[in-house]
Amino acid sequence: MVQALVDCDRMTFEEFIDWYPEDGRRYELYRGVVREMMPIGDHELASSFLSEELTLEVRNNHSNYRVSRMCLLKPEMAETGFIPDVVVIDRRELGNESLWQKSSVIQNGKTVPLVIEVVSTNWRNDYAVKLAEYEAMGIAEYWIVDYLALGAVRHIGKPKQPTVTVCKLIEGEYQLFLFTAGKRVESDILPELNLMTDDIFQAAIEMI
């Protein structure tokens, strides 16, 4: 994912959702600065694969869930809004989201039991900023999919290797579980999900 700053004045979150254009592009707001999120090819392949796999799983086993790639999360950080690569929404909670009908904005962690970020050049945001903000929101599970092993050694160990980090909210804090090559990703939110790390990593490098 490549981030490009958008040439506009600093915005409040309210101004950002009023400004958000219907042009099919993805934008985030970070401390008042608008950034266009431009996924590179392999990043998009990995994100699409995960979205398809989770959609199939929730359709078969979790009728109250839906999968989205375009909803905007409002964390506690001021003048900030994130668009994760994949989001599992609990539609039973949408009635508590005052901005959902207007702008597809989610403010409550209970509404999004699972969020996925596919790591690219901005890996520090995924491992630090977003981890802290999603934890503060109370999102039960946060996956960091690092198919290029870009994260620091303190995050994915040494030798560095492609890793899916599943952050599970336990007593208000994320506990991290690392899944490397040949492992099944274990999710408390989708316990029946049969998803292997190798399939995720392979999806990111498939050539069309």
Side-chain angles (χ1 to χ4, degrees):
M1 180 81 70
V2 177
Q3 294 183 353
L5 300 183
V6 177
D7 186 16
C8 58
D9 294 335
R10 295 179 67 90
M11 295 184 185
T12 65
F13 184 78
E14 291 73 18
E15 290 169 339
F16 174 65
I17 59 177
D18 286 339
W19 165 87
Y20 204 105
E22 295 183 3
D23 58 6
R25 298 179 180 179
R26 296 157 57 92
Y27 300 92
E28 289 189 341
L29 184 71
Y30 183 68
R31 297 189 182 278
V33 177
V34 177
R35 297 174 174 176
E36 181 180 356
M37 313 303 291
M38 298 183 294
I40 58 177
D42 50 1
H43 180 284
E44 181 61 19
L45 288 174
S47 300
S48 296
F49 172 78
L50 287 161
S51 178
E52 292 164 3
E53 291 295 305
L54 268 61
T55 297
L56 181 62
E57 173 63 21
V58 302
R59 183 176 298 162
N60 290 336
N61 297 306
H62 300 273
S63 60
N64 291 313
Y65 289 168
R66 295 292 183 269
V67 177
S68 172
R69 296 193 62 201
M70 288 301 293
C71 65
L72 183 68
L73 303 191
K74 176 64 184 79
E76 294 182 1
M77 182 182 292
E79 318 308 354
T80 297
F82 297 133
I83 293 189
D85 291 303
V86 184
V87 176
V88 174
I89 298 172
D90 188 339
R91 61 189 181 88
R92 296 169 297 184
E93 298 291 333
L94 288 175
N96 299 318
E97 296 291 349
S98 60
L99 297 174
W100 174 254
Q101 293 296 340
K102 175 184 177 182
S103 305
S104 299
V105 172
I106 291 174
Q107 303 174 81
N108 304 310
K110 288 181 64 177
T111 309
V112 282
L114 193 158
V115 169
I116 300 176
E117 297 284 5
V118 178
V119 174
S120 53
T121 53
N122 59 332
W123 61 267
R124 291 176 177 82
N125 286 341
D126 299 323
Y127 280 106
V129 176
K130 291 186 177 181
L131 185 149
E133 292 303 315
Y134 294 158
E135 180 183 69
M137 287 181 71
I139 294 173
E141 202 164 285
Y142 168 40
W143 297 11
I144 306 172
V145 178
D146 194 348
Y147 65 92
L148 290 175
L150 296 174
V153 168
R154 65 181 177 275
H155 299 305
I156 59 176
K158 188 175 182 178
K160 292 169 65 172
Q161 57 185 312
T163 304
V164 176
T165 301
V166 176
C167 310
K168 299 182 181 182
L169 196 66
I170 300 174
E171 296 182 355
E173 296 183 0
Y174 278 144
Q175 303 296 315
L176 276 55
F177 301 85
L178 276 58
F179 301 92
T180 53
K183 303 295 184 181
R184 174 179 173 267
V185 179
E186 298 176 9
S187 168
D188 291 346
I189 301 304
L190 303 174
E192 303 93 348
L193 181 65
N194 186 19
L195 181 61
M196 302 298 294
T197 55
D198 291 354
D199 294 330
I200 301 172
F201 303 149
Q202 181 62 35
I205 62 174
E206 288 177 351
M207 301 300 293
I208 300 176

